[in-house]
Amino acid sequence: MVLELQPVILAGGEGSKLFPLTDTIPKCLLPVGNKPMIWYPVQFLEKYGFQDFMVIVRKASAEKIHEALRTHCQESSKFQMICIDDDEDIGTAEAMVLIKDKTKTDLLVVSSDMVTDLALHRLVDTYRTYDATLCAVMAKRVDVHPQVEQTKSNKKSKITDPNVGTRDIVSIDPKENRLLFLSNEADLEQETISFTKSLLKKYPKMKIQSSLVDAHLYIIKNWLLSYLAQKP
């Protein structure tokens, strides 16, 4: 695994959902169990022998994150900081384009806020078996209970759903376990989802659901980075 995969830690998120906790500290450095959040995915990968990491961060927080990694992680681990502009809002695909000329191996991409005891070798075996272009981990979604508010004017209860805009829309072919569609509902520009006729013909029994959440743990073929650069 160590020879064929380059670990990449996504740590450039603004952490807007955790404001004001992230007003003065990067999201990935928020303490969880007396450790910065980013320590957990790094420690998870260190257990499998990974030592050379690429970390995608914002320029303003790069030095602070690098120092935290050097303090809390194994001395043998090395971290290459890949910086994005502080005012830039990019997703995972755009972040991958930034490193397309920096590695020749396939990529193991992990979010800086992931805490897991997943058996990584099983994911890698699946990736190898299917010769997948991209292999993604999904987890069962746990919804937050709707909030009931009492309005003053008419004394009626107002129910607000805190889950709106946070769900992932996922389509998986049940026969091949192939990922056909993935998008967070907040990123959808319209209320309808379109599929090509060729895809529907090939996978007539696709299941579209919102009960799964993208765990932001991927294995990606190296050539896909060049493809993303050509077709953003």
Side-chain angles (χ1 to χ4, degrees), residues 27 59 79 83 136 149 157 161:
K27 171 186 169 183
K59 287 181 180 178
F79 303 96
C83 297
E149 298 178 3
S157 297
D161 186 358

Side-chain angles (χ1 to χ4, degrees), residues 141-183:
R141 178 181 171 82
V142 179
D143 276 334
V144 179
H145 291 296
Q147 299 171 347
V148 180
E149 298 178 3
Q150 196 77 27
T151 57
K152 295 181 180 179
S153 57
N154 50 17
K155 296 184 179 181
K156 289 184 178 180
S157 297
K158 178 183 178 182
I159 299 177
T160 57
D161 186 358
N163 302 292
V164 173
T166 68
R167 298 181 180 91
D168 288 325
I169 309 301
V170 183
S171 177
I172 297 176
D173 174 63
K175 186 177 180 180
E176 297 184 5
N177 211 28
R178 183 181 295 272
L179 180 63
L180 304 176
F181 181 85
L182 170 61
S183 177

Side-chain angles (χ1 to χ4, degrees), residues 184-197:
N184 186 274
E185 63 177 333
D187 295 330
L188 295 174
E189 296 180 355
Q190 51 191 15
E191 293 183 358
T192 58
I193 302 174
S194 301
F195 296 96
T196 61
K197 289 183 179 179

Side-chain angles (χ1 to χ4, degrees), residues 17-31:
K17 294 178 183 177
L18 291 173
F19 186 85
L21 294 177
T22 52
D23 187 27
T24 58
I25 184 172
K27 171 186 169 183
C28 67
L29 295 186
L30 290 174

Side-chain angles (χ1 to χ4, degrees), residues 2 10 32 58 61 68 85 87 89 93 99 109 143 152-153 162 171 204 210 216 231:
V2 174
L10 301 174
V32 177
R58 295 187 178 274
S61 56
D85 292 333
D87 58 351
D89 183 19
I99 59 173
V109 182
D143 276 334
K152 295 181 180 179
S153 57
S171 177
S210 60
H216 298 113
K231 296 190 175 184

Side-chain angles (χ1 to χ4, degrees), residues 7-11 28-29 36-56 65-66 68-79 81 108 110-116 120:
V8 179
I9 310 294
L10 301 174
C28 67
L29 295 186
M37 199 183 296
I38 194 173
W39 175 83
Y40 289 92
V42 172
Q43 182 258 352
F44 167 69
L45 296 176
E46 285 177 335
K47 287 194 304 183
Y48 287 92
F50 291 100
Q51 292 183 324
D52 294 306
F53 299 87
M54 288 184 179
V55 187
I56 298 179
I65 293 173
H66 193 221
L69 290 169
R70 290 175 58 188
T71 301
H72 294 279
C73 300
Q74 294 179 7
E75 290 185 8
S76 56
S77 293
K78 300 176 182 178
F79 303 96
M81 314 305 282
L108 176 58
V110 185
S111 175
S112 62
D113 61 359
M114 187 194 72
V115 181
T116 183
L120 183 61

Side-chain angles (χ1 to χ4, degrees), residues 55-141:
V55 187
I56 298 179
V57 298
R58 295 187 178 274
K59 287 181 180 178
S61 56
E63 187 175 341
K64 190 180 293 186
I65 293 173
H66 193 221
E67 182 61 30
L69 290 169
R70 290 175 58 188
T71 301
H72 294 279
C73 300
Q74 294 179 7
E75 290 185 8
S76 56
S77 293
K78 300 176 182 178
F79 303 96
Q80 180 182 358
M81 314 305 282
I82 311 296
C83 297
I84 59 176
D85 292 333
D86 297 325
D87 58 351
E88 206 170 356
D89 183 19
I90 66 174
T92 303
E94 292 90 346
M96 294 300 96
V97 175
L98 295 177
I99 59 173
K100 74 179 183 68
D101 298 323
K102 300 181 185 297
T103 177
K104 295 181 180 178
T105 65
D106 294 343
L107 305 176
L108 176 58
V109 182
V110 185
S111 175
S112 62
D113 61 359
M114 187 194 72
V115 181
T116 183
D117 59 357
L118 173 81
L120 183 61
H121 62 277
R122 293 184 179 179
L123 177 66
V124 176
D125 285 345
T126 301
Y127 177 72
R128 292 166 175 162
T129 300
Y130 288 94
D131 191 25
T133 298
L134 181 146
C135 199
V137 174
M138 301 284 169
K140 289 184 178 179
R141 178 181 171 82

